[in-house]
Short mmCIF file of all heavy atoms in Angstrom, two decimals:
data_model
loop_
_atom_site.label_atom_id
_atom_site.label_comp_id
_atom_site.label_asym_id
_atom_site.label_seq_id
_atom_site.Cartn_x
_atom_site.Cartn_y
_atom_site.Cartn_z
N ASP A 941 5.83 -31.27 2.69
CA ASP A 941 4.92 -31.89 3.71
C ASP A 941 4.00 -30.72 4.14
O ASP A 941 4.30 -29.56 4.15
CB ASP A 941 5.84 -32.33 4.84
CG ASP A 941 6.64 -33.58 4.50
OD1 ASP A 941 6.34 -34.26 3.57
OD2 ASP A 941 7.63 -33.84 5.18
N TYR A 942 2.79 -31.14 4.53
CA TYR A 942 1.80 -30.31 5.02
C TYR A 942 0.83 -30.98 6.05
O TYR A 942 0.81 -32.25 6.11
CB TYR A 942 1.10 -29.73 3.87
CG TYR A 942 0.28 -30.77 3.10
CD1 TYR A 942 -1.01 -31.02 3.35
CD2 TYR A 942 0.91 -31.37 1.98
CE1 TYR A 942 -1.69 -31.95 2.59
CE2 TYR A 942 0.22 -32.37 1.28
CZ TYR A 942 -1.07 -32.65 1.53
OH TYR A 942 -1.79 -33.51 0.83
N ILE A 943 0.12 -30.13 6.61
CA ILE A 943 -1.06 -30.65 7.52
C ILE A 943 -2.32 -30.23 6.91
O ILE A 943 -2.47 -29.08 6.50
CB ILE A 943 -0.91 -30.00 8.91
CG1 ILE A 943 0.30 -30.35 9.61
CG2 ILE A 943 -2.14 -30.41 9.79
CD1 ILE A 943 0.72 -29.57 10.95
N LYS A 944 -3.23 -31.14 6.71
CA LYS A 944 -4.53 -30.86 6.12
C LYS A 944 -5.54 -30.89 7.35
O LYS A 944 -5.70 -31.91 8.02
CB LYS A 944 -4.83 -31.93 5.13
CG LYS A 944 -6.06 -31.65 4.32
CD LYS A 944 -6.25 -32.61 3.24
CE LYS A 944 -7.45 -32.36 2.45
NZ LYS A 944 -7.53 -33.22 1.23
N CYS A 945 -6.27 -29.82 7.46
CA CYS A 945 -7.26 -29.63 8.45
C CYS A 945 -8.63 -29.34 7.78
O CYS A 945 -8.75 -28.38 7.06
CB CYS A 945 -6.88 -28.48 9.40
SG CYS A 945 -8.11 -28.10 10.69
N VAL A 946 -9.59 -30.18 8.10
CA VAL A 946 -10.97 -30.06 7.53
C VAL A 946 -11.88 -29.87 8.61
O VAL A 946 -12.00 -30.58 9.61
CB VAL A 946 -11.31 -31.36 6.73
CG1 VAL A 946 -12.74 -31.17 6.16
CG2 VAL A 946 -10.32 -31.66 5.65
N VAL A 947 -12.66 -28.73 8.46
CA VAL A 947 -13.63 -28.36 9.50
C VAL A 947 -15.03 -28.44 8.77
O VAL A 947 -15.21 -27.75 7.76
CB VAL A 947 -13.39 -26.95 10.03
CG1 VAL A 947 -14.50 -26.58 11.06
CG2 VAL A 947 -12.06 -26.80 10.66
N THR A 948 -15.91 -29.17 9.34
CA THR A 948 -17.28 -29.14 8.72
C THR A 948 -18.33 -28.63 9.81
O THR A 948 -18.10 -28.86 10.99
CB THR A 948 -17.76 -30.64 8.29
OG1 THR A 948 -17.56 -31.44 9.42
CG2 THR A 948 -16.86 -31.08 7.21
N ASP A 949 -19.42 -28.07 9.29
CA ASP A 949 -20.38 -27.45 10.11
C ASP A 949 -21.82 -27.74 9.45
O ASP A 949 -21.89 -27.43 8.25
CB ASP A 949 -20.14 -25.96 10.27
CG ASP A 949 -21.12 -25.16 10.95
OD1 ASP A 949 -22.39 -25.44 10.76
OD2 ASP A 949 -20.76 -24.24 11.69
N ASN A 950 -22.69 -28.20 10.06
CA ASN A 950 -23.97 -28.45 9.49
C ASN A 950 -24.99 -27.40 9.68
O ASN A 950 -26.19 -27.52 9.63
CB ASN A 950 -24.50 -29.94 10.00
CG ASN A 950 -24.88 -29.73 11.47
OD1 ASN A 950 -24.64 -28.82 12.22
ND2 ASN A 950 -25.55 -30.83 12.08
N GLY A 951 -24.52 -26.10 9.91
CA GLY A 951 -25.36 -24.95 10.00
C GLY A 951 -26.00 -24.56 8.72
O GLY A 951 -25.89 -25.26 7.68
N GLY A 952 -26.50 -23.29 8.69
CA GLY A 952 -27.13 -22.79 7.51
C GLY A 952 -26.25 -22.37 6.39
O GLY A 952 -26.66 -21.88 5.29
N GLY A 953 -24.92 -22.44 6.53
CA GLY A 953 -24.00 -21.99 5.54
C GLY A 953 -23.52 -20.54 5.79
O GLY A 953 -24.12 -19.80 6.60
N ILE A 954 -22.50 -20.05 5.10
CA ILE A 954 -21.93 -18.76 5.28
C ILE A 954 -22.86 -17.71 4.89
O ILE A 954 -22.96 -16.64 5.62
CB ILE A 954 -20.60 -18.67 4.52
CG1 ILE A 954 -19.58 -19.52 5.11
CG2 ILE A 954 -20.12 -17.20 4.42
CD1 ILE A 954 -18.22 -19.71 4.27
N LYS A 955 -23.54 -17.76 3.81
CA LYS A 955 -24.50 -16.68 3.32
C LYS A 955 -25.57 -16.45 4.42
O LYS A 955 -25.87 -15.26 4.64
CB LYS A 955 -25.02 -17.03 1.96
CG LYS A 955 -24.04 -16.93 0.82
CD LYS A 955 -24.71 -16.88 -0.44
CE LYS A 955 -23.68 -16.98 -1.65
NZ LYS A 955 -22.90 -15.92 -1.77
N LYS A 956 -26.17 -17.46 4.94
CA LYS A 956 -27.25 -17.27 5.92
C LYS A 956 -26.76 -16.58 7.18
O LYS A 956 -27.37 -15.71 7.69
CB LYS A 956 -27.87 -18.61 6.26
CG LYS A 956 -29.05 -18.48 7.24
CD LYS A 956 -29.70 -19.80 7.47
CE LYS A 956 -30.76 -19.63 8.50
NZ LYS A 956 -31.39 -21.02 8.85
N SER A 957 -25.51 -16.96 7.63
CA SER A 957 -24.97 -16.38 8.88
C SER A 957 -24.61 -14.98 8.64
O SER A 957 -24.62 -14.12 9.58
CB SER A 957 -23.86 -17.18 9.42
OG SER A 957 -22.71 -17.08 8.52
N THR A 958 -24.21 -14.51 7.45
CA THR A 958 -23.81 -13.17 7.24
C THR A 958 -25.02 -12.23 7.06
O THR A 958 -24.89 -11.04 7.14
CB THR A 958 -22.93 -13.01 5.89
OG1 THR A 958 -23.61 -13.48 4.76
CG2 THR A 958 -21.61 -13.72 6.12
N ASN A 959 -26.19 -12.75 6.95
CA ASN A 959 -27.49 -11.96 6.87
C ASN A 959 -27.94 -11.58 8.20
O ASN A 959 -28.89 -10.83 8.33
CB ASN A 959 -28.51 -12.65 6.03
CG ASN A 959 -28.12 -12.82 4.65
OD1 ASN A 959 -27.45 -11.96 4.06
ND2 ASN A 959 -28.68 -13.76 3.97
N THR A 960 -27.40 -12.06 9.24
CA THR A 960 -27.83 -11.82 10.63
C THR A 960 -27.14 -10.45 11.11
O THR A 960 -25.89 -10.45 11.28
CB THR A 960 -27.38 -12.94 11.63
OG1 THR A 960 -27.85 -14.16 11.01
CG2 THR A 960 -28.03 -12.76 13.04
N PRO A 961 -27.94 -9.36 11.32
CA PRO A 961 -27.31 -8.00 11.62
C PRO A 961 -26.45 -8.02 12.86
O PRO A 961 -25.44 -7.32 12.96
CB PRO A 961 -28.44 -7.13 11.77
CG PRO A 961 -29.69 -7.93 11.60
CD PRO A 961 -29.39 -9.38 11.31
N GLN A 962 -26.82 -8.73 13.95
CA GLN A 962 -26.06 -8.73 15.16
C GLN A 962 -24.82 -9.66 15.23
O GLN A 962 -24.08 -9.63 16.14
CB GLN A 962 -26.95 -8.96 16.38
CG GLN A 962 -27.62 -10.34 16.43
CD GLN A 962 -28.91 -10.51 15.64
OE1 GLN A 962 -29.18 -9.88 14.67
NE2 GLN A 962 -29.83 -11.21 16.17
N HIS A 963 -24.45 -10.34 14.15
CA HIS A 963 -23.35 -11.28 14.00
C HIS A 963 -22.37 -10.79 13.16
O HIS A 963 -22.52 -10.42 12.03
CB HIS A 963 -23.92 -12.62 13.51
CG HIS A 963 -22.81 -13.66 13.31
ND1 HIS A 963 -22.20 -14.23 14.43
CD2 HIS A 963 -22.13 -14.01 12.21
CE1 HIS A 963 -21.18 -15.04 13.93
NE2 HIS A 963 -21.16 -14.95 12.65
N THR A 964 -21.15 -10.69 13.71
CA THR A 964 -20.04 -10.15 12.83
C THR A 964 -18.92 -11.22 13.09
O THR A 964 -18.23 -11.26 14.12
CB THR A 964 -19.52 -8.86 13.39
OG1 THR A 964 -20.65 -7.78 13.32
CG2 THR A 964 -18.37 -8.29 12.51
N SER A 965 -18.66 -12.00 12.05
CA SER A 965 -17.63 -13.10 12.14
C SER A 965 -16.27 -12.55 11.60
O SER A 965 -16.24 -11.89 10.49
CB SER A 965 -18.11 -14.25 11.30
OG SER A 965 -17.06 -15.20 11.30
N LYS A 966 -15.33 -12.82 12.43
CA LYS A 966 -13.95 -12.38 12.05
C LYS A 966 -13.03 -13.59 11.80
O LYS A 966 -11.79 -13.41 11.62
CB LYS A 966 -13.42 -11.44 13.06
CG LYS A 966 -14.19 -10.19 13.19
CD LYS A 966 -13.49 -9.22 14.21
CE LYS A 966 -14.18 -8.09 14.58
NZ LYS A 966 -14.82 -7.18 13.92
N ALA A 967 -13.60 -14.77 11.95
CA ALA A 967 -12.79 -16.03 11.89
C ALA A 967 -11.89 -16.13 10.62
O ALA A 967 -10.72 -16.45 10.73
CB ALA A 967 -13.67 -17.25 12.09
N MET A 968 -12.59 -16.01 9.54
CA MET A 968 -11.92 -16.17 8.21
C MET A 968 -10.75 -15.16 8.03
O MET A 968 -9.72 -15.46 7.54
CB MET A 968 -12.88 -16.16 7.09
CG MET A 968 -13.70 -17.41 6.92
SD MET A 968 -12.82 -18.90 6.91
CE MET A 968 -11.92 -18.79 5.39
N SER A 969 -10.97 -13.95 8.39
CA SER A 969 -10.01 -12.89 8.21
C SER A 969 -8.82 -13.08 9.14
O SER A 969 -7.66 -12.86 8.73
CB SER A 969 -10.62 -11.45 8.41
OG SER A 969 -11.12 -11.32 9.73
N ILE A 970 -9.10 -13.67 10.36
CA ILE A 970 -8.05 -13.89 11.24
C ILE A 970 -7.20 -15.14 10.83
O ILE A 970 -5.97 -15.05 10.82
CB ILE A 970 -8.65 -14.19 12.70
CG1 ILE A 970 -9.16 -12.94 13.30
CG2 ILE A 970 -7.55 -14.83 13.55
CD1 ILE A 970 -9.94 -13.16 14.57
N ILE A 971 -7.81 -16.02 10.34
CA ILE A 971 -7.06 -17.27 9.70
C ILE A 971 -6.27 -16.93 8.56
O ILE A 971 -5.03 -17.21 8.53
CB ILE A 971 -8.05 -18.41 9.33
CG1 ILE A 971 -8.73 -19.07 10.56
CG2 ILE A 971 -7.32 -19.49 8.51
CD1 ILE A 971 -9.86 -19.95 10.29
N LYS A 972 -6.79 -16.08 7.70
CA LYS A 972 -6.03 -15.63 6.57
C LYS A 972 -4.78 -14.73 6.97
O LYS A 972 -3.71 -14.93 6.39
CB LYS A 972 -6.93 -14.84 5.63
CG LYS A 972 -7.91 -15.64 4.81
CD LYS A 972 -8.83 -14.85 3.88
CE LYS A 972 -9.86 -15.66 3.25
NZ LYS A 972 -10.81 -14.99 2.47
N GLU A 973 -5.07 -13.96 7.93
CA GLU A 973 -3.94 -13.06 8.34
C GLU A 973 -2.74 -13.91 8.92
O GLU A 973 -1.63 -13.69 8.67
CB GLU A 973 -4.54 -12.05 9.39
CG GLU A 973 -3.41 -11.07 10.01
CD GLU A 973 -4.06 -10.19 11.02
OE1 GLU A 973 -5.20 -9.80 10.96
OE2 GLU A 973 -3.26 -9.79 11.89
N ARG A 974 -3.11 -14.89 9.77
CA ARG A 974 -2.11 -15.76 10.51
C ARG A 974 -1.39 -16.53 9.43
O ARG A 974 -0.10 -16.70 9.46
CB ARG A 974 -2.72 -16.61 11.52
CG ARG A 974 -3.25 -15.90 12.66
CD ARG A 974 -3.76 -16.73 13.78
NE ARG A 974 -4.19 -15.95 14.93
CZ ARG A 974 -4.81 -16.46 15.86
NH1 ARG A 974 -5.22 -17.69 15.93
NH2 ARG A 974 -5.22 -15.66 16.85
N LEU A 975 -2.01 -17.14 8.46
CA LEU A 975 -1.45 -17.92 7.35
C LEU A 975 -0.45 -17.03 6.57
O LEU A 975 0.63 -17.47 6.10
CB LEU A 975 -2.32 -18.60 6.47
CG LEU A 975 -3.13 -19.77 7.09
CD1 LEU A 975 -4.18 -20.30 6.18
CD2 LEU A 975 -2.14 -20.89 7.45
N ASN A 976 -0.90 -15.71 6.25
CA ASN A 976 0.03 -14.81 5.56
C ASN A 976 1.30 -14.58 6.31
O ASN A 976 2.39 -14.41 5.69
CB ASN A 976 -0.70 -13.46 5.27
CG ASN A 976 -1.55 -13.48 3.99
OD1 ASN A 976 -1.10 -14.21 3.11
ND2 ASN A 976 -2.53 -12.74 4.02
N LEU A 977 1.17 -14.53 7.63
CA LEU A 977 2.48 -14.26 8.42
C LEU A 977 3.51 -15.34 8.33
O LEU A 977 4.67 -15.01 8.39
CB LEU A 977 2.00 -14.06 9.88
CG LEU A 977 1.28 -12.74 10.25
CD1 LEU A 977 0.82 -12.72 11.64
CD2 LEU A 977 2.07 -11.47 9.91
N VAL A 978 3.13 -16.47 8.21
CA VAL A 978 4.09 -17.69 8.30
C VAL A 978 4.28 -18.26 6.87
O VAL A 978 5.08 -19.28 6.79
CB VAL A 978 3.62 -18.80 9.28
CG1 VAL A 978 3.59 -18.19 10.69
CG2 VAL A 978 2.30 -19.38 8.80
N ASN A 979 3.64 -17.89 5.86
CA ASN A 979 3.71 -18.58 4.53
C ASN A 979 3.89 -17.66 3.45
O ASN A 979 3.19 -16.50 3.47
CB ASN A 979 2.58 -19.47 4.46
CG ASN A 979 2.75 -20.48 3.41
OD1 ASN A 979 3.78 -20.81 2.90
ND2 ASN A 979 1.60 -20.90 2.74
N LYS A 980 4.65 -17.94 2.30
CA LYS A 980 4.63 -17.20 1.22
C LYS A 980 3.73 -17.60 0.04
O LYS A 980 3.58 -16.93 -0.91
CB LYS A 980 6.11 -17.12 0.75
CG LYS A 980 7.10 -16.64 1.70
CD LYS A 980 6.90 -15.22 2.16
CE LYS A 980 7.88 -14.87 3.13
NZ LYS A 980 7.52 -13.78 3.90
N THR A 981 3.03 -18.79 0.26
CA THR A 981 2.16 -19.24 -0.76
C THR A 981 0.79 -18.41 -0.68
O THR A 981 0.36 -18.08 0.40
CB THR A 981 1.75 -20.71 -0.42
OG1 THR A 981 2.93 -21.43 -0.37
CG2 THR A 981 0.85 -21.29 -1.40
N PRO A 982 0.21 -18.08 -1.85
CA PRO A 982 -1.05 -17.27 -1.75
C PRO A 982 -2.10 -18.04 -1.02
O PRO A 982 -2.26 -19.22 -1.17
CB PRO A 982 -1.44 -17.23 -3.28
CG PRO A 982 -0.09 -17.41 -4.02
CD PRO A 982 0.70 -18.17 -3.14
N ILE A 983 -2.84 -17.26 -0.31
CA ILE A 983 -3.86 -17.79 0.60
C ILE A 983 -4.98 -18.64 -0.17
O ILE A 983 -5.39 -19.71 0.33
CB ILE A 983 -4.66 -16.67 1.31
CG1 ILE A 983 -3.77 -16.04 2.35
CG2 ILE A 983 -5.99 -17.12 1.97
CD1 ILE A 983 -3.22 -16.99 3.50
N GLN A 984 -5.27 -18.22 -1.47
CA GLN A 984 -6.22 -18.96 -2.22
C GLN A 984 -5.74 -20.40 -2.47
O GLN A 984 -6.59 -21.23 -2.72
CB GLN A 984 -6.44 -18.25 -3.63
CG GLN A 984 -6.91 -16.82 -3.50
CD GLN A 984 -5.87 -15.80 -3.19
OE1 GLN A 984 -4.73 -16.05 -3.00
NE2 GLN A 984 -6.34 -14.56 -3.04
N GLU A 985 -4.56 -20.67 -2.33
CA GLU A 985 -4.01 -22.00 -2.56
C GLU A 985 -4.05 -22.83 -1.23
O GLU A 985 -3.89 -24.06 -1.33
CB GLU A 985 -2.62 -22.06 -3.13
CG GLU A 985 -2.51 -21.40 -4.57
CD GLU A 985 -1.09 -21.40 -5.01
OE1 GLU A 985 -0.23 -22.24 -4.55
OE2 GLU A 985 -0.84 -20.52 -5.89
N LEU A 986 -4.23 -22.19 -0.13
CA LEU A 986 -4.28 -22.90 1.13
C LEU A 986 -5.65 -23.14 1.72
O LEU A 986 -5.78 -24.06 2.62
CB LEU A 986 -3.52 -22.10 2.17
CG LEU A 986 -1.95 -21.77 1.84
CD1 LEU A 986 -1.43 -20.82 2.80
CD2 LEU A 986 -1.16 -22.96 1.64
N ILE A 987 -6.66 -22.34 1.39
CA ILE A 987 -7.95 -22.47 1.98
C ILE A 987 -8.97 -22.82 0.83
O ILE A 987 -9.00 -22.14 -0.21
CB ILE A 987 -8.46 -21.15 2.64
CG1 ILE A 987 -7.40 -20.81 3.83
CG2 ILE A 987 -9.92 -21.24 3.18
CD1 ILE A 987 -7.67 -19.42 4.44
N HIS A 988 -9.80 -23.76 1.09
CA HIS A 988 -10.85 -24.19 0.13
C HIS A 988 -12.21 -24.12 1.00
O HIS A 988 -12.24 -24.78 2.00
CB HIS A 988 -10.65 -25.54 -0.44
CG HIS A 988 -11.68 -25.95 -1.42
ND1 HIS A 988 -11.84 -25.40 -2.64
CD2 HIS A 988 -12.63 -26.81 -1.17
CE1 HIS A 988 -12.92 -26.02 -3.20
NE2 HIS A 988 -13.51 -26.81 -2.37
N ILE A 989 -13.17 -23.39 0.50
CA ILE A 989 -14.43 -23.28 1.21
C ILE A 989 -15.63 -23.76 0.30
O ILE A 989 -15.66 -23.34 -0.82
CB ILE A 989 -14.76 -21.86 1.62
CG1 ILE A 989 -13.58 -21.29 2.55
CG2 ILE A 989 -16.02 -21.65 2.37
CD1 ILE A 989 -13.61 -19.79 2.77
N GLU A 990 -16.30 -24.62 0.94
CA GLU A 990 -17.57 -25.18 0.25
C GLU A 990 -18.72 -24.70 1.23
O GLU A 990 -18.75 -25.12 2.40
CB GLU A 990 -17.53 -26.63 0.05
CG GLU A 990 -16.38 -27.17 -0.80
CD GLU A 990 -16.34 -28.67 -0.87
OE1 GLU A 990 -17.38 -29.33 -0.91
OE2 GLU A 990 -15.26 -29.14 -0.72
N SER A 991 -19.70 -24.01 0.72
CA SER A 991 -20.78 -23.63 1.53
C SER A 991 -22.11 -23.86 0.81
O SER A 991 -22.25 -23.51 -0.38
CB SER A 991 -20.65 -22.17 1.98
OG SER A 991 -21.78 -21.69 2.82
N SER A 992 -23.17 -24.40 1.51
CA SER A 992 -24.46 -24.59 0.93
C SER A 992 -25.48 -24.47 2.09
O SER A 992 -25.07 -24.20 3.24
CB SER A 992 -24.53 -26.05 0.33
OG SER A 992 -24.54 -26.98 1.40
N LYS A 993 -26.72 -24.69 1.79
CA LYS A 993 -27.76 -24.59 2.85
C LYS A 993 -27.58 -25.63 3.84
O LYS A 993 -28.09 -25.47 4.99
CB LYS A 993 -29.17 -24.73 2.19
CG LYS A 993 -29.57 -23.42 1.36
CD LYS A 993 -30.87 -23.71 0.65
CE LYS A 993 -31.20 -22.49 -0.24
NZ LYS A 993 -32.48 -22.69 -0.92
N GLN A 994 -26.87 -26.70 3.50
CA GLN A 994 -26.65 -27.87 4.42
C GLN A 994 -25.50 -27.62 5.37
O GLN A 994 -25.29 -28.37 6.23
CB GLN A 994 -26.50 -29.16 3.69
CG GLN A 994 -27.75 -29.69 3.01
CD GLN A 994 -28.09 -28.95 1.76
OE1 GLN A 994 -27.16 -28.63 0.97
NE2 GLN A 994 -29.39 -28.71 1.44
N GLY A 995 -24.68 -26.61 5.16
CA GLY A 995 -23.58 -26.31 5.95
C GLY A 995 -22.32 -25.88 5.23
O GLY A 995 -22.41 -25.56 4.04
N THR A 996 -21.26 -25.91 5.95
CA THR A 996 -19.98 -25.37 5.32
C THR A 996 -18.86 -26.38 5.71
O THR A 996 -18.84 -26.96 6.77
CB THR A 996 -19.62 -23.98 6.03
OG1 THR A 996 -20.66 -23.07 5.82
CG2 THR A 996 -18.36 -23.46 5.44
N LYS A 997 -17.92 -26.43 4.63
CA LYS A 997 -16.78 -27.28 4.84
C LYS A 997 -15.54 -26.46 4.44
O LYS A 997 -15.58 -25.90 3.32
CB LYS A 997 -16.78 -28.58 3.96
CG LYS A 997 -15.59 -29.44 4.02
CD LYS A 997 -15.76 -30.72 3.06
CE LYS A 997 -14.56 -31.51 3.07
NZ LYS A 997 -14.71 -32.65 2.14
N ILE A 998 -14.59 -26.27 5.39
CA ILE A 998 -13.39 -25.55 5.15
C ILE A 998 -12.20 -26.43 5.27
O ILE A 998 -12.11 -27.20 6.19
CB ILE A 998 -13.32 -24.36 6.05
CG1 ILE A 998 -14.46 -23.40 6.01
CG2 ILE A 998 -11.97 -23.66 5.88
CD1 ILE A 998 -14.49 -22.34 6.94
N THR A 999 -11.32 -26.44 4.13
CA THR A 999 -10.17 -27.21 4.20
C THR A 999 -8.96 -26.32 4.21
O THR A 999 -8.83 -25.52 3.30
CB THR A 999 -10.11 -28.17 3.00
OG1 THR A 999 -11.26 -29.02 2.93
CG2 THR A 999 -8.86 -29.04 3.03
N LEU A 1000 -8.13 -26.47 5.24
CA LEU A 1000 -6.91 -25.66 5.34
C LEU A 1000 -5.67 -26.67 5.05
O LEU A 1000 -5.60 -27.70 5.61
CB LEU A 1000 -6.77 -25.15 6.69
CG LEU A 1000 -7.85 -24.26 7.25
CD1 LEU A 1000 -7.45 -23.86 8.67
CD2 LEU A 1000 -7.74 -22.82 6.43
N THR A 1001 -4.92 -26.15 4.15
CA THR A 1001 -3.65 -26.88 3.89
C THR A 1001 -2.44 -26.10 4.35
O THR A 1001 -2.12 -25.11 3.90
CB THR A 1001 -3.55 -27.26 2.30
OG1 THR A 1001 -4.63 -27.85 1.87
CG2 THR A 1001 -2.20 -28.06 2.07
N ILE A 1002 -1.86 -26.53 5.50
CA ILE A 1002 -0.78 -25.84 6.18
C ILE A 1002 0.47 -26.41 5.92
O ILE A 1002 0.77 -27.63 6.37
CB ILE A 1002 -1.19 -25.66 7.61
CG1 ILE A 1002 -2.57 -25.17 7.91
CG2 ILE A 1002 -0.16 -24.84 8.40
CD1 ILE A 1002 -3.13 -25.32 9.20
N PRO A 1003 1.43 -25.76 5.26
CA PRO A 1003 2.78 -26.24 5.05
C PRO A 1003 3.54 -26.41 6.29
O PRO A 1003 3.39 -25.57 7.30
CB PRO A 1003 3.40 -25.21 4.12
CG PRO A 1003 2.36 -24.32 3.59
CD PRO A 1003 1.23 -24.38 4.60
N ILE A 1004 4.34 -27.49 6.40
CA ILE A 1004 5.22 -27.61 7.56
C ILE A 1004 6.59 -26.98 7.22
O ILE A 1004 7.18 -27.26 6.21
CB ILE A 1004 5.44 -29.09 7.86
CG1 ILE A 1004 4.11 -29.84 8.22
CG2 ILE A 1004 6.43 -29.35 8.97
CD1 ILE A 1004 4.18 -31.30 8.45
N LEU A 1005 6.97 -25.92 8.00
CA LEU A 1005 8.09 -25.23 7.74
C LEU A 1005 9.26 -25.94 8.39
O LEU A 1005 9.19 -26.49 9.53
CB LEU A 1005 8.04 -23.76 8.42
CG LEU A 1005 6.81 -23.02 7.93
CD1 LEU A 1005 6.75 -21.76 8.79
CD2 LEU A 1005 6.89 -22.79 6.38
N SER A 1006 10.42 -26.07 7.70
CA SER A 1006 11.61 -26.78 8.20
C SER A 1006 12.55 -25.77 8.84
O SER A 1006 12.66 -24.69 8.46
CB SER A 1006 12.35 -27.51 7.14
OG SER A 1006 11.73 -27.70 5.96
#
């Protein structure tokens, strides 16, 4: 069993936001760190990222621990 969380954003995409010198995003590294703490499945299997000029879609598949 798992929880599937999908987050969509209609901004300029990840590449555009990383080109802004005054912006430092830590969101993805924080999410990956937290998932590593509670799960033994490789992060690459839990997070799927789609990014384009039209925006970003991130899908998290979070296992339910018994």
Side-chain angles (χ1 to χ4, degrees):
D941 292 336
Y942 62 90
I943 298 171
K944 186 174 185 176
C945 177
V946 179
V947 179
T948 56
D949 175 318
N950 64 352
I954 292 174
K955 291 196 186 288
K956 183 177 178 184
S957 68
T958 57
N959 290 334
T960 308
Q962 62 271 40
H963 177 74
T964 304
S965 176
K966 297 185 191 308
M968 288 305 297
S969 63
I970 291 169
I971 290 169
K972 288 177 182 179
E973 183 179 329
R974 288 180 181 173
L975 286 172
N976 272 329
L977 290 173
V978 297
N979 192 25
K980 303 297 180 201
T981 305
I983 291 299
Q984 296 81 1
E985 294 179 25
L986 302 175
I987 299 175
H988 179 73
I989 302 170
E990 299 173 44
S991 183
S992 69
K993 292 179 183 177
Q994 290 77 35
T996 303
K997 177 180 177 182
I998 299 174
T999 304
L1000 299 172
T1001 303
I1002 306 167
I1004 297 174
L1005 305 175
S1006 348

